[in-house]
Amino acid sequence: MIYRHHIAPPRAYTRFSHDIIRHPRLSSDAVRLLTWQLSLPQGAREPLSRTAERANIGACAFTRAKRQLKEEGFVHERRVQGSGGHWATQQLVSNVPLSAAEAAKLLARMPVAGAAPDPVSPQVTPSPLIPAVGDPTPRLSDGHPKKYLAGNPSDQPPEPPVQPGPEPAVEAEPETDTPPEILSAATDLVTGFSRLSPALRHVPRPMHAELTRLTARWLEAGHPPSAVRIHILRGLPDDTTPVHRPGGLLRHLLRDVPPVTEPTPPRPAPDPLPPTPAAGPRLSARLTGAVECQGPHTQPMLFNPTTGETLCPRCVAGGHLADALGSARPAGATVIISRGVS
């Protein structure tokens, strides 16, 4: 349950219709903007934007509230032109909804700032302007410009004939005494620079003549083509640094020609040494003269034979001697068994 208590203000109050305060399609910002405008004195000319600033209504909320008031007929605007050609905006705020025709009749009776109290004329003569300093000059009409950047050139006047002058001297290439075979070898060498490294693939073609002359100096000095290639490969960057000017790098590497170093005479080969017997596995003194037993051993078995036998005493004692001799033993032969070292 709610109770209400009203105390009539003794001064500074405004009477509003309940239709404004309870309007179903007006937001709180729109109602506050309308009631603030209706509470201003009769001669006040405060625009709606200034009222929104004083009421702490943001830009987006003001735009939305103004649109709602114009749709409901509480606010009307029009643009008029006053004296001197200046344009002004008239705003009409009412406490009851008005149609466009009713608002136009009321705005037609309102004076425009800077104009006479008469109704505004649709065509107002602009005020006189102060002319610029100096006399007016006519437009230039002395012909076409000398150069045309675009457009139809068919209507251009013929250009005056150019007087023939002395032909410019053509700079001749310096004559060299380099033999043709060296120049040919240098040309082939320069052409093959692009295959030495991917960094030298994009050498400008106009630089080939200069690089050929520099390479010919190396060949004339006695450097072989392989030495030139090795010198260029050593001058390339070792890391992944890109070479932006391969022609300039080749020019820098070939500019200075080093002297040819005399080849070092080969050293005489030393006298051949007598061949040494192949070194076998070193055996201890106890196993010197030992041979491998031919009996059925799981691993090799060494023993010292006395009369050239091939079976160790263990195999002879085990009866393997007869199997080893077999039928190869002549009739009546006597087997001599000797005990050796196993």
Side-chain angles (χ1 to χ4, degrees):
M1 184 176 296
I2 184 173
Y3 299 94
R4 297 174 184 84
H5 177 65
H6 294 276
I7 299 178
R11 59 181 182 84
Y13 63 93
T14 305
R15 298 178 61 183
F16 297 106
S17 172
H18 293 171
D19 296 338
I20 295 177
I21 301 176
R22 304 173 185 175
H23 201 286
R25 291 180 298 275
L26 293 180
S27 62
S28 59
D29 293 329
V31 173
R32 180 172 174 79
L33 189 63
L34 179 58
T35 54
W36 192 300
Q37 278 283 331
L38 295 177
S39 65
L40 295 176
Q42 185 65 26
R45 294 292 182 262
E46 180 178 305
L48 294 175
S49 58
R50 176 56 183 163
T51 303
E53 293 179 2
R54 296 175 60 187
N56 295 327
I57 300 177
C60 297
F62 167 68
T63 303
R64 183 169 54 252
K66 182 180 177 181
R67 183 180 65 251
Q68 294 176 359
L69 293 175
K70 292 175 67 175
E71 292 175 354
E72 298 301 327
F74 291 99
V75 174
H76 294 271
E77 286 183 338
R78 74 167 184 172
R79 294 275 293 172
V80 294
Q81 191 175 18
S83 60
H86 299 285
W87 288 87
T89 301
Q90 287 183 323
Q91 293 179 340
L92 176 62
V93 180
S94 62
N95 60 344
V96 293
L98 298 177
S99 62
E102 294 173 345
K105 292 180 181 179
L106 293 176
L107 290 174
R109 295 196 296 264
M110 301 297 177
V112 182
D118 300 334
V120 179
S121 174
Q123 183 66 30
V124 181
T125 305
S127 60
L129 301 178
I130 301 176
V133 179
D135 298 332
T137 57
R139 296 181 60 185
L140 299 179
S141 58
D142 56 349
H144 296 271
K146 295 183 179 181
K147 296 294 181 182
Y148 287 83
L149 300 180
N152 185 12
S154 60
D155 57 346
Q156 300 181 14
E159 296 184 358
V162 180
Q163 298 295 334
E167 296 182 359
V170 179
E171 183 180 357
E173 295 185 357
E175 297 182 359
T176 59
D177 299 335
T178 306
E181 58 272 9
I182 293 183
L183 286 177
S184 177
T187 302
D188 298 340
L189 195 57
V190 171
T191 305
F193 284 164
S194 60
R195 296 189 293 270
L196 295 178
S197 174
L200 303 178
R201 291 179 180 175
H202 303 287
V203 179
R205 296 291 301 178
M207 294 190 64
H208 282 203
E210 180 182 2
L211 297 178
T212 301
R213 291 194 297 270
L214 295 176
T215 307
R217 294 171 51 198
W218 282 68
L219 299 180
E220 285 182 330
H223 294 279
S226 59
V228 180
R229 298 190 187 96
I230 293 175
H231 175 72
I232 291 176
L233 290 176
R234 288 176 179 174
L236 296 178
D238 297 336
D239 53 1
T240 58
T241 303
V243 179
H244 298 287
R245 293 181 176 86
L249 177 61
L250 290 176
R251 179 198 298 152
H252 172 73
L253 295 176
L254 298 174
R255 181 174 301 169
D256 299 329
V257 182
V260 179
T261 58
E262 295 294 337
T264 305
R267 299 179 60 183
D271 297 336
L273 299 176
T276 57
R282 298 182 60 182
L283 301 176
S284 63
R286 189 170 62 89
L287 297 178
T288 302
V291 296
E292 183 178 354
C293 178
Q294 301 299 325
H297 294 281
T298 305
Q299 296 181 353
M301 182 67 179
L302 298 179
F303 72 100
N304 292 329
T306 57
T307 57
E309 62 270 16
T310 60
L311 294 177
C312 63
R314 183 179 301 176
C315 293
V316 173
H320 297 287
L321 178 60
D323 297 338
L325 297 177
S327 61
R329 184 178 58 188
T334 301
V335 179
I336 300 174
I337 301 176
S338 63
R339 188 176 300 277
V341 180
S342 61

